[in-house]
Amino acid sequence: MARRILAWELRNLHAATIMCAASSPAEFRTWRKAVHNVVAYQRRRSRWWRSVGLWAWWTSIGLYGIVELGSITATEFVSALRHRGDVRLRPIAIETVRTEVYRAAQSVSLSQRGDAAGRYQPVKIAIEPVIVAVSAVPIVGSRMIPPMPMIV
């Protein structure tokens, strides 16, 4: 997971703690969809939200992980998610991403994972930044391109 996070162009990286009201895996799945919907809504409203990424793991207490804020401020992120729980952000350096990911993943207790398939998948949320494809337009320069011949 740390490699996937580091593959993005990181600018505004924070360790996140979100105290959510979900107390069971079923409630967490509902809460996770609500957070996805909040980020998707913000991305439709503002292009600056397209660079936001969230990678976190749920414990019965809350969500622990990493947030890439991209072009938005921490205040904007906190105010967008304030209805989903108490959000706390702490700036981190790129060099500490691996340790922060390890710490967040280790916060998940063995009892929550159980024997479920997918190891951490049922207790993880991953919202990656959106990549906008840019089409390359060839620059012709000053060369004259002759027209296509017509066959009559």
Side-chain angles (χ1 to χ4, degrees), residues 15-16 57 65-66 90 92-93 96-105:
W57 291 265
I66 295 180
R90 175 177 45 90
I92 60 171
T96 62
V97 169
R98 289 184 190 277
T99 57
E100 293 292 337
V101 167
Y102 184 74
R103 183 179 301 149

Side-chain angles (χ1 to χ4, degrees), residues 55-111:
W55 301 270
W57 291 265
W58 174 73
T59 66
S60 57
I61 301 168
L63 200 70
Y64 300 96
I66 295 180
V67 176
E68 165 55 24
L69 294 178
S71 300
I72 68 168
T73 64
T75 307
E76 289 174 302
F77 184 81
V78 170
S79 66
L81 291 177
R82 72 174 175 256
H83 296 296
R84 303 290 167 231
D86 182 31
V87 181
R88 307 240 184 236
L89 298 177
R90 175 177 45 90
I92 60 171
I94 292 174
E95 297 81 25
T96 62
V97 169
R98 289 184 190 277
T99 57
E100 293 292 337
V101 167
Y102 184 74
R103 183 179 301 149
Q106 290 300 319
S107 67
V108 178
S109 69
L110 294 173
S111 62

Side-chain angles (χ1 to χ4, degrees), residues 13-149:
L13 207 56
H14 288 73
T17 303
I18 303 173
M19 296 301 163
C20 58
S23 60
S24 69
E27 288 178 4
F28 173 68
R29 282 192 296 274
T30 304
W31 185 86
R32 178 172 51 189
K33 288 176 190 174
V35 171
H36 272 281
N37 289 341
V38 166
V39 173
Y41 173 73
Q42 293 297 334
R43 285 179 176 172
R44 286 189 302 272
R45 286 185 62 218
S46 170
R47 66 185 173 103
W48 303 111
W49 274 79
R50 294 180 188 152
S51 60
V52 173
L54 171 66
W55 301 270
W57 291 265
W58 174 73
T59 66
S60 57
I61 301 168
L63 200 70
Y64 300 96
I66 295 180
V67 176
E68 165 55 24
L69 294 178
S71 300
I72 68 168
T73 64
T75 307
E76 289 174 302
F77 184 81
V78 170
S79 66
L81 291 177
R82 72 174 175 256
H83 296 296
R84 303 290 167 231
D86 182 31
V87 181
R88 307 240 184 236
L89 298 177
R90 175 177 45 90
I92 60 171
I94 292 174
E95 297 81 25
T96 62
V97 169
R98 289 184 190 277
T99 57
E100 293 292 337
V101 167
Y102 184 74
R103 183 179 301 149
Q106 290 300 319
S107 67
V108 178
S109 69
L110 294 173
S111 62
Q112 286 177 314
R113 286 184 277 163
D115 293 329
R119 299 182 339 175
Y120 292 105
Q121 297 304 320
V123 294
K124 183 179 79 169
I125 184 170
I127 304 172
E128 296 190 341
V130 176
I131 298 175
V132 178
V134 178
S135 62
V137 178
I139 299 174
V140 177
S142 63
R143 292 187 339 197
M144 183 69 166
I145 299 174
M148 295 286 294

